Amino acid sequence: TDLPAGESMPDFKVGIIGCGQVGTVLLTKLLEVKEQFHNLKMIVSTRQPLAQTLLQEFGVEAIFDNQKVAAESDIIFVCVLPSQVQEVFKEIREVVKDRVAASKKDKMLISPLIVCTCAAISYQKLRLMLSDEAVFLRTSISVPVLKEYLMRT
C-alpha cells in the first residue's frame, strides 16, 4: 500500500516465548523470510543464556522476560511444554489484559494475537488460563514430523 509522503510502515513485532525445538524452528524460518517483510522485528524470551547471545548476532532481541515479549509483540508464539503453559500465562496475563483493554479504547492499537503450539491444551482452557478476551490460535506441531521436514530442506 502507498503511504502518505513522509510516513513509513510501523514496525511489526513477532515474539516467541520459549526457544526449545519448536521455538527454534519457528525462529529459523522467520529469519529466512525476514527480508520479505517490511519492518519485521523479532523478540525471543528464552532462559538459555547461550541462545540469547547467538540470537542477538542475528538481530533478534533475546531476553528472559515473558512480560516484555507480551507487552511489545503483535503476534506472540507460545512455544513451551504443556506443563509450562499455565506458569507462562500467569506471568503474561495482566499485560495481555491491559493490551486488550487499551486496544478497545484506541483503535490505533491492536490486541496481540496469541499462537499456542501446545496441542494438548484445549482452546477453552487456554482462554481460562489467560483471558477470555484474548485472540488465540492453537496449533498442533509434531516435533518428529517437523524434524523430518527440516532434514529434507
Side-chain angles (χ1 to χ4, degrees):
T1 50
D2 294 329
L3 294 171
E7 288 191 32
S8 64
M9 291 285 292
D11 288 346
F12 186 81
K13 196 172 241 188
V14 174
I16 299 174
I17 296 176
C19 206
Q21 292 179 331
V22 174
T24 299
V25 169
L26 177 62
L27 180 61
T28 301
K29 290 300 177 185
L30 284 170
L31 286 168
E32 286 177 13
V33 299
K34 182 180 179 183
E35 298 308 315
Q36 297 175 21
F37 296 91
H38 187 71
N39 291 345
L40 177 64
K41 307 287 183 204
M42 290 177 277
I43 181 171
V44 174
S45 179
T46 177
R47 59 185 179 194
Q48 302 171 30
L50 181 59
Q52 290 177 9
T53 304
L54 290 172
L55 293 173
Q56 289 170 352
E57 292 177 20
F58 289 98
V60 175
E61 184 178 354
I63 56 173
F64 181 40
D65 187 342
N66 297 337
Q67 289 181 340
K68 183 174 181 181
V69 171
E72 296 182 5
S73 302
D74 300 300
I75 298 178
I76 304 162
F77 288 91
V78 180
C79 304
V80 298
L81 297 171
S83 61
Q84 299 168 322
V85 172
Q86 188 167 359
E87 185 62 33
V88 168
F89 279 6
K90 184 178 174 184
E91 286 178 47
I92 68 172
R93 182 180 301 125
E94 291 307 314
V95 173
V96 171
K97 284 183 176 184
D98 289 348
R99 290 196 57 203
V100 169
S103 71
K104 288 181 178 182
K105 292 178 186 172
D106 183 349
K107 296 301 177 195
M108 296 300 292
L109 300 175
I110 65 168
S111 183
L113 171 64
I114 294 81
V115 181
C116 189
T117 63
C118 300
I121 301 175
S122 72
Y123 176 77
Q124 292 79 11
K125 188 167 182 180
L126 292 172
R127 289 177 61 103
L128 282 172
M129 285 192 286
L130 188 60
S131 167
D132 61 350
E133 295 187 67
V135 180
F136 279 100
L137 285 178
R138 187 176 65 100
T139 183
S140 174
I141 296 175
S142 167
V143 173
V145 171
L146 189 61
K147 285 181 177 180
E148 182 181 322
Y149 167 77
L150 290 174
M151 295 299 239
R152 291 182 298 191
T153 58

